[in-house]
mmCIF file of all heavy atoms in Angstrom:
data_model
loop_
_atom_site.group_PDB
_atom_site.id
_atom_site.type_symbol
_atom_site.label_atom_id
_atom_site.label_comp_id
_atom_site.label_asym_id
_atom_site.label_seq_id
_atom_site.Cartn_x
_atom_site.Cartn_y
_atom_site.Cartn_z
ATOM 1 N N THR A 17 -0.985 23.010 -9.117
ATOM 2 C CA THR A 17 -2.277 23.722 -9.236
ATOM 3 C C THR A 17 -2.525 23.982 -10.707
ATOM 4 O O THR A 17 -1.585 23.982 -11.512
ATOM 5 C CB THR A 17 -2.202 25.034 -8.501
ATOM 6 O OG1 THR A 17 -1.262 25.882 -9.195
ATOM 7 C CG2 THR A 17 -1.803 24.868 -7.045
ATOM 8 N N VAL A 26 2.347 28.135 -21.029
ATOM 9 C CA VAL A 26 2.688 29.401 -21.682
ATOM 10 C C VAL A 26 4.191 29.555 -21.797
ATOM 11 O O VAL A 26 4.742 29.903 -22.826
ATOM 12 C CB VAL A 26 2.061 30.589 -20.904
ATOM 13 C CG1 VAL A 26 2.642 31.912 -21.375
ATOM 14 C CG2 VAL A 26 0.580 30.591 -21.044
ATOM 15 N N ALA A 30 6.694 30.300 -24.841
ATOM 16 C CA ALA A 30 7.308 31.650 -24.938
ATOM 17 C C ALA A 30 8.839 31.577 -24.852
ATOM 18 O O ALA A 30 9.525 32.286 -25.550
ATOM 19 C CB ALA A 30 6.762 32.525 -23.782
ATOM 20 N N ILE A 31 9.376 30.705 -24.011
ATOM 21 C CA ILE A 31 10.846 30.687 -23.827
ATOM 22 C C ILE A 31 11.577 30.290 -25.089
ATOM 23 O O ILE A 31 12.510 30.963 -25.537
ATOM 24 C CB ILE A 31 11.199 29.864 -22.583
ATOM 25 C CG1 ILE A 31 10.767 30.614 -21.332
ATOM 26 C CG2 ILE A 31 12.727 29.571 -22.555
ATOM 27 C CD1 ILE A 31 10.894 29.788 -20.063
ATOM 28 N N LEU A 38 16.223 35.969 -29.964
ATOM 29 C CA LEU A 38 17.528 36.476 -29.522
ATOM 30 C C LEU A 38 18.614 35.932 -30.453
ATOM 31 O O LEU A 38 19.550 36.641 -30.787
ATOM 32 C CB LEU A 38 17.807 36.009 -28.051
ATOM 33 C CG LEU A 38 17.008 36.800 -27.001
ATOM 34 C CD1 LEU A 38 17.304 36.249 -25.609
ATOM 35 C CD2 LEU A 38 17.342 38.259 -27.076
ATOM 36 N N GLY A 50 28.385 35.465 -45.058
ATOM 37 C CA GLY A 50 27.915 34.651 -46.193
ATOM 38 C C GLY A 50 27.528 35.510 -47.383
ATOM 39 O O GLY A 50 27.685 36.726 -47.390
ATOM 40 N N ASP A 54 27.665 42.218 -46.732
ATOM 41 C CA ASP A 54 28.667 43.139 -47.195
ATOM 42 C C ASP A 54 30.009 42.491 -47.466
ATOM 43 O O ASP A 54 30.794 43.011 -48.221
ATOM 44 C CB ASP A 54 28.864 44.247 -46.157
ATOM 45 C CG ASP A 54 27.643 45.183 -46.106
ATOM 46 O OD1 ASP A 54 26.803 45.076 -47.024
ATOM 47 O OD2 ASP A 54 27.550 45.993 -45.172
ATOM 48 N N GLU A 58 32.356 43.413 -54.126
ATOM 49 C CA GLU A 58 33.640 43.412 -54.871
ATOM 50 C C GLU A 58 34.707 44.125 -54.065
ATOM 51 O O GLU A 58 35.850 43.664 -54.044
ATOM 52 C CB GLU A 58 33.415 44.044 -56.223
ATOM 53 C CG GLU A 58 33.427 43.053 -57.360
ATOM 54 C CD GLU A 58 32.986 43.690 -58.676
ATOM 55 O OE1 GLU A 58 33.656 44.613 -59.094
ATOM 56 O OE2 GLU A 58 31.984 43.208 -59.251
ATOM 57 N N ILE A 61 35.993 42.006 -51.153
ATOM 58 C CA ILE A 61 36.810 40.894 -51.624
ATOM 59 C C ILE A 61 38.152 41.431 -52.068
ATOM 60 O O ILE A 61 39.201 40.861 -51.691
ATOM 61 C CB ILE A 61 36.115 40.135 -52.776
ATOM 62 C CG1 ILE A 61 34.873 39.394 -52.196
ATOM 63 C CG2 ILE A 61 37.067 39.104 -53.388
ATOM 64 C CD1 ILE A 61 33.989 38.815 -53.281
ATOM 65 N N ALA A 70 50.227 48.288 -51.362
ATOM 66 C CA ALA A 70 49.507 48.758 -52.542
ATOM 67 C C ALA A 70 50.366 49.738 -53.327
ATOM 68 O O ALA A 70 51.160 50.493 -52.747
ATOM 69 C CB ALA A 70 48.226 49.408 -52.156
ATOM 70 N N SER A 76 50.290 62.429 -63.173
ATOM 71 C CA SER A 76 50.510 63.863 -63.081
ATOM 72 C C SER A 76 49.202 64.653 -63.263
ATOM 73 O O SER A 76 49.008 65.748 -62.735
ATOM 74 C CB SER A 76 51.450 64.319 -64.213
ATOM 75 O OG SER A 76 50.891 64.030 -65.445
ATOM 76 N N ALA A 82 43.924 67.001 -67.495
ATOM 77 C CA ALA A 82 45.045 67.893 -67.437
ATOM 78 C C ALA A 82 44.573 69.240 -66.854
ATOM 79 O O ALA A 82 43.525 69.738 -67.222
ATOM 80 C CB ALA A 82 45.661 68.063 -68.798
ATOM 81 N N ARG A 83 45.431 69.795 -65.995
ATOM 82 C CA ARG A 83 45.049 71.079 -65.430
ATOM 83 C C ARG A 83 45.136 72.182 -66.458
ATOM 84 O O ARG A 83 45.909 72.057 -67.429
ATOM 85 C CB ARG A 83 45.973 71.394 -64.223
ATOM 86 C CG ARG A 83 45.589 70.631 -62.982
ATOM 87 C CD ARG A 83 46.702 70.637 -61.980
ATOM 88 N NE ARG A 83 47.719 69.661 -62.337
ATOM 89 C CZ ARG A 83 48.798 69.425 -61.570
ATOM 90 N NH1 ARG A 83 49.011 70.079 -60.485
ATOM 91 N NH2 ARG A 83 49.652 68.499 -61.974
ATOM 92 N N THR A 84 44.384 73.177 -66.264
ATOM 93 C CA THR A 84 44.414 74.322 -67.185
ATOM 94 C C THR A 84 45.703 75.124 -66.965
ATOM 95 O O THR A 84 46.357 75.000 -65.927
ATOM 96 C CB THR A 84 43.216 75.245 -66.942
ATOM 97 O OG1 THR A 84 43.337 75.864 -65.687
ATOM 98 C CG2 THR A 84 41.913 74.504 -67.099
ATOM 99 N N GLU A 86 45.937 78.212 -66.296
ATOM 100 C CA GLU A 86 45.770 79.055 -65.100
ATOM 101 C C GLU A 86 46.024 78.285 -63.828
ATOM 102 O O GLU A 86 46.690 78.763 -62.920
ATOM 103 C CB GLU A 86 44.384 79.650 -65.136
ATOM 104 C CG GLU A 86 44.174 80.697 -63.987
ATOM 105 C CD GLU A 86 42.803 81.325 -64.037
ATOM 106 O OE1 GLU A 86 42.044 81.084 -64.962
ATOM 107 O OE2 GLU A 86 42.552 82.148 -63.132
ATOM 108 N N TYR A 89 49.704 77.573 -63.555
ATOM 109 C CA TYR A 89 50.411 78.814 -63.242
ATOM 110 C C TYR A 89 50.228 79.124 -61.729
ATOM 111 O O TYR A 89 51.238 79.393 -61.034
ATOM 112 C CB TYR A 89 49.831 79.997 -64.059
ATOM 113 C CG TYR A 89 50.299 81.320 -63.553
ATOM 114 C CD1 TYR A 89 51.632 81.748 -63.748
ATOM 115 C CD2 TYR A 89 49.494 82.107 -62.771
ATOM 116 C CE1 TYR A 89 52.108 82.940 -63.291
ATOM 117 C CE2 TYR A 89 49.939 83.313 -62.241
ATOM 118 C CZ TYR A 89 51.236 83.730 -62.493
ATOM 119 O OH TYR A 89 51.692 84.894 -61.977
ATOM 120 N N HIS A 97 57.042 83.607 -61.186
ATOM 121 C CA HIS A 97 56.629 84.535 -62.250
ATOM 122 C C HIS A 97 55.648 85.577 -61.751
ATOM 123 O O HIS A 97 55.454 86.593 -62.424
ATOM 124 C CB HIS A 97 56.052 83.761 -63.433
ATOM 125 C CG HIS A 97 57.141 83.063 -64.256
ATOM 126 N ND1 HIS A 97 57.797 83.672 -65.272
ATOM 127 C CD2 HIS A 97 57.653 81.817 -64.101
ATOM 128 C CE1 HIS A 97 58.682 82.815 -65.783
ATOM 129 N NE2 HIS A 97 58.640 81.699 -65.091
ATOM 130 N N ALA A 98 55.061 85.385 -60.585
ATOM 131 C CA ALA A 98 54.112 86.420 -60.095
ATOM 132 C C ALA A 98 54.882 87.686 -59.675
ATOM 133 O O ALA A 98 54.506 88.799 -60.001
ATOM 134 C CB ALA A 98 53.338 85.877 -58.933
ATOM 135 N N PRO A 105 60.635 86.495 -65.958
ATOM 136 C CA PRO A 105 59.756 87.489 -66.578
ATOM 137 C C PRO A 105 58.428 87.489 -65.803
ATOM 138 O O PRO A 105 57.811 86.416 -65.639
ATOM 139 C CB PRO A 105 59.585 86.972 -68.000
ATOM 140 C CG PRO A 105 60.023 85.545 -67.982
ATOM 141 C CD PRO A 105 61.042 85.414 -66.902
ATOM 142 N N PHE A 107 54.606 87.998 -64.547
ATOM 143 C CA PHE A 107 53.301 87.733 -65.174
ATOM 144 C C PHE A 107 52.688 89.061 -65.620
ATOM 145 O O PHE A 107 52.593 89.978 -64.845
ATOM 146 C CB PHE A 107 52.396 87.035 -64.182
ATOM 147 C CG PHE A 107 51.090 86.624 -64.758
ATOM 148 C CD1 PHE A 107 51.004 85.482 -65.568
ATOM 149 C CD2 PHE A 107 49.914 87.351 -64.539
ATOM 150 C CE1 PHE A 107 49.788 85.097 -66.153
ATOM 151 C CE2 PHE A 107 48.710 86.950 -65.112
ATOM 152 C CZ PHE A 107 48.634 85.866 -65.868
ATOM 153 N N GLY A 108 52.294 89.140 -66.881
ATOM 154 C CA GLY A 108 51.609 90.340 -67.376
ATOM 155 C C GLY A 108 52.589 91.467 -67.757
ATOM 156 O O GLY A 108 52.138 92.480 -68.310
ATOM 157 N N ASP A 109 53.879 91.245 -67.608
ATOM 158 C CA ASP A 109 54.872 92.247 -67.923
ATOM 159 C C ASP A 109 55.247 92.136 -69.415
ATOM 160 O O ASP A 109 56.139 91.349 -69.787
ATOM 161 C CB ASP A 109 56.079 92.093 -67.030
ATOM 162 C CG ASP A 109 57.128 93.153 -67.271
ATOM 163 O OD1 ASP A 109 57.050 93.846 -68.324
ATOM 164 O OD2 ASP A 109 58.021 93.347 -66.415
ATOM 165 N N ILE A 117 58.586 86.257 -76.226
ATOM 166 C CA ILE A 117 57.482 85.801 -77.097
ATOM 167 C C ILE A 117 57.969 85.786 -78.526
ATOM 168 O O ILE A 117 57.595 84.916 -79.308
ATOM 169 C CB ILE A 117 56.274 86.751 -76.880
ATOM 170 C CG1 ILE A 117 55.666 86.499 -75.487
ATOM 171 C CG2 ILE A 117 55.236 86.526 -77.973
ATOM 172 C CD1 ILE A 117 54.659 87.540 -75.054
ATOM 173 N N ALA A 128 60.650 76.055 -70.914
ATOM 174 C CA ALA A 128 59.814 75.689 -69.768
ATOM 175 C C ALA A 128 59.944 74.232 -69.408
ATOM 176 O O ALA A 128 59.962 73.814 -68.264
ATOM 177 C CB ALA A 128 58.342 76.050 -70.054
ATOM 178 N N GLY A 139 59.366 74.193 -64.185
ATOM 179 C CA GLY A 139 59.164 75.018 -62.977
ATOM 180 C C GLY A 139 59.466 74.303 -61.725
ATOM 181 O O GLY A 139 59.123 74.704 -60.623
ATOM 182 N N ALA A 141 58.306 71.379 -61.015
ATOM 183 C CA ALA A 141 57.218 70.401 -60.785
ATOM 184 C C ALA A 141 57.276 69.334 -61.854
ATOM 185 O O ALA A 141 56.586 69.370 -62.868
ATOM 186 C CB ALA A 141 55.856 71.103 -60.812
ATOM 187 N N TYR A 155 49.283 80.479 -71.177
ATOM 188 C CA TYR A 155 48.515 81.316 -70.237
ATOM 189 C C TYR A 155 49.387 82.561 -69.877
ATOM 190 O O TYR A 155 48.868 83.703 -69.927
ATOM 191 C CB TYR A 155 48.198 80.527 -69.016
ATOM 192 C CG TYR A 155 47.534 81.333 -67.938
ATOM 193 C CD1 TYR A 155 46.176 81.748 -68.060
ATOM 194 C CD2 TYR A 155 48.178 81.706 -66.746
ATOM 195 C CE1 TYR A 155 45.544 82.470 -67.101
ATOM 196 C CE2 TYR A 155 47.550 82.432 -65.775
ATOM 197 C CZ TYR A 155 46.204 82.806 -65.938
ATOM 198 O OH TYR A 155 45.592 83.538 -64.946
ATOM 199 N N PRO A 165 47.934 79.916 -79.722
ATOM 200 C CA PRO A 165 46.699 79.086 -79.619
ATOM 201 C C PRO A 165 46.812 78.136 -78.463
ATOM 202 O O PRO A 165 47.939 77.755 -78.015
ATOM 203 C CB PRO A 165 46.649 78.350 -80.955
ATOM 204 C CG PRO A 165 48.078 78.263 -81.403
ATOM 205 C CD PRO A 165 48.785 79.466 -80.878
#
Side-chain angles (χ1 to χ4, degrees):
T17 65
V26 169
I31 289 171
L38 287 176
D54 288 349
E58 253 170 59
I61 292 171
S76 63
R83 281 163 282 182
T84 65
E86 187 177 355
Y89 168 75
H97 287 272
F107 186 78
D109 184 342
I117 291 168
Y155 177 73

